[in-house]
Amino acid sequence: MEETANVIEIKSVSKDYGDFKLDNISFTVPEGSVCGFIGQNGAGKTTTIRIILDAINRDGGEVYLFGKSIDNGSASLREDIGVVFDEMGFHDFLTARQINTIMKNVYKNWKEEKYFEYLKRFSLPTKKACGSFSRGMRMKLQIAAALSHEAKLLIMDEPTSGLDPIVRNEMLQIFREYVIEEDHTILLSSHITGDLEKLADEVVFIDGGKIVLQGNKDEILEKHAILRCRKDELRTINESLIVSAESSSLGAEVLVNDRKTAEKLYPEMIIESAGLDEIMIHYVNQEKGHHAAERQG
C-alpha cells in the first residue's frame, strides 16, 4: 500500500515574541485530509498559519509544502494554496466583480465561471461594495475566491467564528465537497470543536505555543473518556491514566487517556465518551497544572 504524502510538514518551528513563544512545534497534514488545528484564542494558531504562508519570519525550524521548503520559491507554491482568514483580505470598496478582475491577474489558474457560480450559490451581490457585507457574506466571498483558482490546499483561520449555525453548516458542506474532490487538503484552525468533530480527519491541539496532542480524530475520541467518581476515589485511579481531574462538591471528573484500560480497572465507575471540547479543556488544565508545579518547584 502506497504511503500518503504530507501536504504540510512543520519541523521544530519556533517564533519568540517575548510575551509569547511558539515553542519548537512539529506536525504534519496528510494529503486528502481535513486537519483541525484546535486551541484557545491566543494559543498560537494564527502565528503558525502565518509562518506556513511565509507571511512572517520564523526563528527556527523548517516548513515544507507539497514536499518543498517554503524558503525555496514559495511564490510558486501560492498558486496551489487557497487562504481564508478571520478578517477579510479585500478592500471594503471593491465589488465581487472587481475582485474577479484582480484575481484573473493574480492566479494563472483562476476560473472565472467557477467563481461566479459560487457567488450565485452564496447569494452574494456582484456589484455591491463588499465593505457593506455581513460577516457571513464576507466569509463566503473569501471562500468563493479561495476555491476558484484550482488550489490543492485550503488554509483557513477561524472561518466559521461568529457565524450563525445555519451559515456554519453551509460552510462545512462546501468544505466537505472540496475535500471529496481528488487530492484536496484542508488545514482548518478553529476553537469551535463541534465543527471539527463533524469535518476533521486529523486534529492538532495547540496551547500556549506548544503542541499538546495530535493524531487521528476518531482514534483520539475513542481513546479518551470522562470518568466520574467520588472525590475520595480519585486517589485510587492510576496516575498514568489521568490527563487532568476536576473536583467539586458533587464528586470528581477525570479525563483518562486509555478508555479500555480504565473500564477494566474501574468497572464500578461511570465512564462516558468525551467530546473534543472536553478533551481540549482537560489538556489545557493539564498544561496549567504543569506550569503551576514548575513555579512552585
Side-chain angles (χ1 to χ4, degrees):
M1 186 175 173
E2 191 177 335
E3 191 176 337
T4 304
N6 290 319
V7 171
I8 301 175
E9 290 184 61
I10 310 288
K11 297 182 178 180
S12 304
V13 166
S14 60
K15 177 71 177 179
D16 194 345
Y17 286 109
D19 59 343
F20 174 80
K21 184 180 181 183
L22 201 61
D23 196 1
N24 208 37
I25 68 166
S26 300
F27 67 90
T28 59
V29 179
E31 183 181 62
S33 70
V34 178
C35 179
F37 194 29
I38 305 173
Q40 304 177 89
N41 291 330
K45 302 189 301 295
T46 299
T47 299
T48 302
I49 284 174
R50 291 190 179 279
I51 286 173
I52 292 170
L53 295 171
D54 204 21
I56 56 174
N57 294 324
R58 62 194 184 278
D59 296 331
E62 300 171 275
V63 179
Y64 296 89
L65 296 176
F66 307 103
K68 299 175 184 176
S69 170
I70 63 169
D71 299 329
N72 302 321
S74 60
S76 62
L77 295 174
R78 291 195 185 104
E79 284 285 330
D80 291 328
I81 301 171
V83 180
V84 178
F85 278 115
D86 183 27
E87 294 299 325
M88 189 170 65
F90 302 121
H91 290 297
D92 285 353
F93 59 80
L94 290 172
T95 66
R97 189 171 290 278
Q98 289 170 328
I99 288 167
N100 172 66
T101 304
I102 293 167
M103 291 300 188
K104 278 197 291 188
N105 294 307
V106 172
Y107 292 107
K108 294 174 186 174
N109 293 325
W110 181 254
K111 297 291 185 279
E112 184 173 21
E113 188 177 336
K114 195 173 192 178
Y115 173 71
F116 281 104
E117 281 176 8
Y118 275 120
L119 295 182
K120 188 175 180 181
R121 177 175 175 177
F122 296 158
S123 302
L124 294 175
T126 59
K127 297 178 181 179
K128 190 175 180 181
C130 63
S132 64
F133 285 8
S134 68
R135 177 172 171 76
M137 292 168 72
R138 290 177 181 216
M139 297 311 293
K140 287 178 180 179
L141 178 61
Q142 284 197 85
I143 290 164
L147 295 178
S148 297
H149 63 88
E150 304 291 285
K152 295 175 185 174
L153 168 64
L154 194 57
I155 296 179
M156 296 182 284
D157 190 14
E158 302 284 358
T160 59
S161 178
L163 302 182
D164 68 65
I166 293 170
V167 175
R168 273 184 23 226
N169 197 55
E170 187 181 358
M171 295 294 98
L172 295 180
Q173 183 57 41
I174 290 157
F175 302 153
R176 279 191 202 99
E177 290 173 12
Y178 172 79
V179 173
I180 287 169
E181 294 178 37
E182 190 179 357
D183 297 336
H184 285 173
T185 306
I186 292 179
L187 175 65
L188 173 57
S189 153
S190 182
H191 64 275
I192 304 173
T193 53
D195 288 351
L196 298 175
E197 281 194 26
K198 296 175 187 173
L199 187 68
D201 305 299
E202 306 284 319
V203 290
V204 177
F205 286 81
I206 187 168
D207 186 58
K210 294 181 179 181
I211 304 297
V212 294
L213 182 68
Q214 61 180 302
N216 178 272
K217 179 203 68 182
D218 291 338
E219 289 176 6
I220 287 172
L221 289 173
E222 187 180 331
K223 195 168 71 167
H224 292 81
I226 297 292
L227 181 151
R228 302 186 193 281
C229 62
R230 298 192 311 269
K231 280 198 285 187
D232 63 313
E233 292 176 316
L234 188 55
R235 64 178 181 275
T236 68
I237 298 170
N238 189 316
E239 282 191 17
S240 66
L241 289 174
I242 299 173
V243 175
S244 79
E246 293 180 355
S247 295
S248 70
S249 58
L250 300 172
E253 177 184 291
V254 183
L255 181 72
V256 294
N257 55 27
D258 187 339
R259 179 173 187 158
K260 287 181 180 177
T261 299
E263 285 173 338
K264 285 178 186 174
L265 292 176
Y266 314 108
E268 74 288 354
M269 295 182 186
I270 298 169
I271 298 177
E272 303 169 339
S273 297
L276 284 179
D277 55 345
E278 292 171 301
I279 293 171
M280 183 174 79
I281 288 164
H282 276 278
Y283 271 92
V284 168
N285 288 344
Q286 179 194 55
E287 286 299 301
K288 286 178 182 174
H290 287 169
H291 295 323
E294 285 168 6
R295 286 196 296 270
Q296 287 172 9

